[in-house]
Amino acid sequence: DAKTTQPPSMDCAEGRAANLPCNHSTISGNEYVYWYRQIHSQGPQYIIHGLKNNETNEMASLIITEDRKSSTLILPHATLRDTAVYYCIVRVNNDMRFGAGTRLTVKP
Amino acid sequence: DARVTQTPRHKVTEMGQEVTMRCQPILGHNTVFWYRQTMMQGLELLAYFRNRAPLDDSGMPKDRFSAEMPDATLATLKIQPSEPRDSAVYFCASGPEGLATYNEQFFGPGTRLTVL
């Protein structure tokens, strides 16, 4: 019972913004949207999370639609080191379920 | 630089043998998680602990898997007996609080297990 839907893969040119979409149409009012990424052979790494408002940190920005049914993770200036699998997760507690994610490839 | 550490990083064993994987959570974190990752199933949550007590291990095969936290600095995941289908990368993660919904999980580098 997948709670999020993401495209399986995306490409992005180095230096350009990478916009990764996520659909979570069945999200509940108290569920947060989290983004993690996993670089090859490493453990997942936290990127950002949000509930209703857009969020920004040193790594990325998170744009959540007003109805909260979808969100977009934005990497403003993608580098080759941003090549990874990006996971969008909705969670209300510590039970965090990873889907298949989006494999982002940043190309020179 | 606080990190979750896991040992061993790689383990090759034969079917039927006991396997023990260890995790040292970040000091001060009171929530510990075990995940398993395979190509077929992706990342699966096996179990998690808060303040050393198991909160949920519904994702773990009970007949052969066991998870414990002997103390606040050590979490273990044991497989006995191991089977080839247990071959996977096992990740440990820790978090600073058990109740807050907004806390991130910090993942270790994983233990790559191969059961022949």
Side-chain angles (χ1 to χ4, degrees), chain A residues 7-60:
Chain A
S9 64
M10 293 181 63
D11 291 343
C12 177
E14 186 180 19
R16 303 297 294 269
N19 298 287
L20 292 95
C22 179
N23 286 323
H24 31 79
S25 58
T26 61
I27 192 170
S28 301
N30 59 345
E31 287 183 313
Y32 284 73
V33 179
Y34 280 75
W35 284 83
Y36 279 73
R37 73 178 182 185
Q38 187 173 24
I39 297 171
H40 182 61
S41 298
Q42 298 182 22
Q45 175 192 21
Y46 166 84
I47 301 173
I48 199 167
H49 73 275
L51 182 63
K52 295 180 181 178
N53 300 320
N54 298 337
E55 302 287 345
T56 296
N57 63 20
E58 65 277 4
M59 289 183 68

